Amino acid sequence: MKSYDVAVVGSGPGGYVSAIRCAQLGMSVAIIEKYNTMGGTCLNVGCIPSKALLDSSHHYEDAVKHFETHGIEIPGEVKINLEKMMARKQSVVDQTTAGIDFLMKKNNIDVYHGTGSFKDATHLNIQGDSNQVIEAKHTIIATGSKPTTLPFATIDKDRIITSTEALKLKEIPKHLIIIGGGVIGLELGQVYRRMGAEVTVVEYMDRIIPTMDKGLSKELNKVFKKQKFKINTSHKVTSVKRFEDTVTVTAENKKGEVVTFEGDYCLVCVGRSPYTEGLNAEAAGVKLNERGQIKVNAHLQTSTSNIYAIGDVIQGAMLAHKAEEEGVFVAEIIAGQKPHINYNLIPGVVYTWPEVAAVGQTEEQLQNNGVAYKSGQFPMRALGRSRASMDLDGFVKILADAKTDEILGVHMIGARCADLIAEAVVAMEYRASAEDISRMSHAHPTFTEAIKEAALAATEDRALHI
Ligand code: FAD
Ligand code: NAD
């Protein structure tokens, strides 16, 4: 039986990053992954393939709608070859997952393909092509999550689908009904909307992306309406039925009226649930909470002291970079270091176009916590860079402490905000004030100037270009 300092169960961004950090710190490491490819949800059926399709569909939309304005003429019709688009996406996924194989080898990490389950607190069964048992002083559980389902919607993986199937459709839906106006619904909805599908979003809450700042929801809703999305907020879905190739979704609106939507595909994306099936956590004394998440303390230690858990399977934002931070954190804890994660500064991004990005507290959170704050906002359309690229939608909003001017939250929507948000994270990590940002030179013409202008607006209401 092989023995390791650390065994990691699950090879998503949490698992593989923690394995690398443990190896860097001199530990002997095994990683167990039940699928044939490494990288978990993110690389195989999440972040990477969704962004590949968002990029391809964005190019198509530009070619159809915007090239002519730029003086670029394409003789003949611009067409989508969906098979080729999907093949390119798959090759991006394959290159990325192969990259993890390389990183495991480079760091001398033993990779086991099979389902890992606890025999006890220091032994794991690996059930794959052959069965084996390994011993580990410490185990890091990084088994991730799976799509949450609705009790009345049977996912047939054909017409009633989750994000996994939506990433590999063989045809462009005529009418895609999306249950859940959160991140997955809007990103994948935009992919198929750009390709010509009619897209209807049915959202339970009174706004799309309801966990983000209200201002962002409002602006994205406005832009999506321009893009001819049909958005139905405050709608409680009560049934999803398929008959032959038609899916009927029934919902109740806030007046109590029954509304039905008919389409050829229905994407159910109402969140994700922690995944612990087959792990046999009880055999190691590892406890779950009432939401099925693995219970951890501030050191991400489970109820069994030599076993840790990270990523989507524990509480907190279900984001790849959050899982990665936790992977590094746990490795350093095991090595006896004193790492720190500031969960308030984990940015959230929606990769639609315009992109939506945020870090820190929303206005609603500040109001609920009784924090006195000031707000500075600057519209993207006032930037020369935005006019040059015709990306006029959106704004940057900076929330700063009314007394100290410390930045408490940054919320933005517009072109390239997924990248722009990094400036806000750095600023807040160093506890910058809005005035600090307003006094820094921002290259012209760039979208980053909106951050400086919003900081000026927050400091003394003295934005320059508006
Ligand atoms: P996972 O990535 O889920 O990996 C867990 C791994 O554990 C899996 O490979 C699973 O097979 C394996 N496993 C489970 N049980 C066992 C077992 N018993 N034995 C062996 N192996 C096991 N996040 C972002 O930050 N940015 C994005 O753009 C983004 N886009 C997304 C798009 C989609 C469509 C989806 C679905 C998710 C997206 N996410 C995104 C979320 C992101 O994918 C997750 O937050 C992230 O993958 C969580 O990482 P993890 O390591 O905790 O778990
Ligand atoms: P989500 O939590 O982002 O959105 C789910 C939406 O469904 C919410 O708006 C919720 O109010 C709504 N909803 C819940 N029950 C409903 C019902 N019965 N009827 C109608 N609406 C209902 O979840 P998701 O979009 O499924 O994504 C899952 C996870 O994956 C998220 O936690 C997200 O962090 C992660 N993810 C991240 C990215 C990214 O970072 N860009 C992209 C995709 C997924």
Side-chain angles (χ1 to χ4, degrees), residues 76-90:
E77 197 189 338
V78 180
K79 282 191 192 150
I80 290 174
N81 180 335
L82 190 61
E83 203 182 330
K84 207 164 170 183
M85 197 184 275
M86 291 293 178
R88 186 198 83 94
K89 172 217 71 182
Q90 195 52 44

Side-chain angles (χ1 to χ4, degrees), residues 9-15 32-35 39-42 45-47 50-51 114-116 142-145 163 167 184 187-188 272 275 277-279 310-313 318-321 323 351:
V9 189
S11 74
I32 308 165
E33 170 53 57
K34 71 176 196 173
Y35 287 116
T41 305
C42 177
V45 291
C47 328
S50 58
K51 268 78 252 179
T115 301
T143 50
S145 62
S163 54
L167 289 165
I184 292 183
E187 288 185 358
L188 294 182
R272 292 178 63 88
Y275 186 78
E277 266 167 54
L279 188 62
I310 59 173
D312 281 11
V313 78
M318 287 184 161
L319 296 173
H321 43 285
Y351 294 83

